[in-house]
Amino acid sequence: MKSLLQLLLPKTWPQVSKKMYSCHLQKSEHQNHLAVPPITQKLRLANEITERAFKLYQPEELMLCFNGGKDCTVLLDVIARQKSWSTPLRAMCVKSHDPFAEVEQFIDFCTQHYKLDLKRYDGALKLAIEQALIERPEVRAVFLGCRRTDPGCAQLSAMTPCDNGWPRLMRIFPLLDWNYQDIWSYLRSQKLHYCCLYDEGYTSLGCRSSTRPNPSLLVFDELDSKLKYLPAYELQDNKLERANREDGCLIRKV
């Protein structure tokens, strides 16, 4: 297949037809023929951070921010493998004002698959956390899937209190030093389910109205004689991860 990056791409994003099917069925479609090496050092550190949180806080004092994206999917699996208590992991999801149906389906799947005690909230992240703490006042710390390359995350530590003006919570970032390739290495080597939109060329998921397949993954398939998008894990340049999102939709990720 010839990459179209050397050709003149259209100035507008191509329209993408909707596919209404279960996202979690995309688990192994593209990965059977590849062996992805483990990222042992970063995974070991993520496990250490998670274990430290488990020692510092009781199960009812911990909560996960989960939005169905690739990063928090990895984080959810890391936590689930370390979790020793029998009660469901508490989780919160901030609803998008214009969500992808595929993302919503995947969140529902993960809630069942990992037996999450998940609640959805409307509004901005700060407002959602405040509402969650009214309902669960015992929560003292929250897991987030942010990476250091995300907007506003460059100076964070693995455990960082919320900023002034925010609820008094400890933020826990086990994946802070992971990169884009690390995330996909874990997802594929562990054969995890992930949202099917990533197999359609979406590299970062935001609002449906301002998120499109990544133009960097648009290629011409000579066999089928048509344009197609490669799956998200084929992206080589980390800096282009959010090239499929309009600036107006770049919000603090969870």
Side-chain angles (χ1 to χ4, degrees), residues 225-244:
S225 298
K226 66 179 182 180
L227 295 174
K228 64 177 291 186
Y229 286 96
L230 297 175
Y233 56 76
E234 296 283 2
L235 186 70
Q236 299 300 311
D237 189 345
N238 288 350
K239 296 178 182 178
L240 298 177
E241 176 184 355
R242 301 172 75 90
N244 66 315

Side-chain angles (χ1 to χ4, degrees), residues 173-221:
F173 304 102
L175 308 182
L176 196 58
D177 290 314
W178 291 40
N179 60 34
Y180 183 84
Q181 282 77 24
D182 294 331
I183 293 296
W184 280 109
S185 176
Y186 186 89
L187 284 169
R188 301 181 71 216
S189 65
Q190 299 303 312
K191 295 181 169 52
L192 297 187
H193 298 283
Y194 55 80
C195 180
C196 57
L197 292 174
Y198 291 117
D199 283 336
E200 299 178 12
Y202 290 81
T203 50
S204 179
L205 298 178
C207 307
R208 183 168 57 90
S209 59
S210 53
T211 308
R212 300 289 186 271
N214 196 317
S216 304
L217 294 175
L218 185 61
V219 297
F220 182 75
D221 189 332

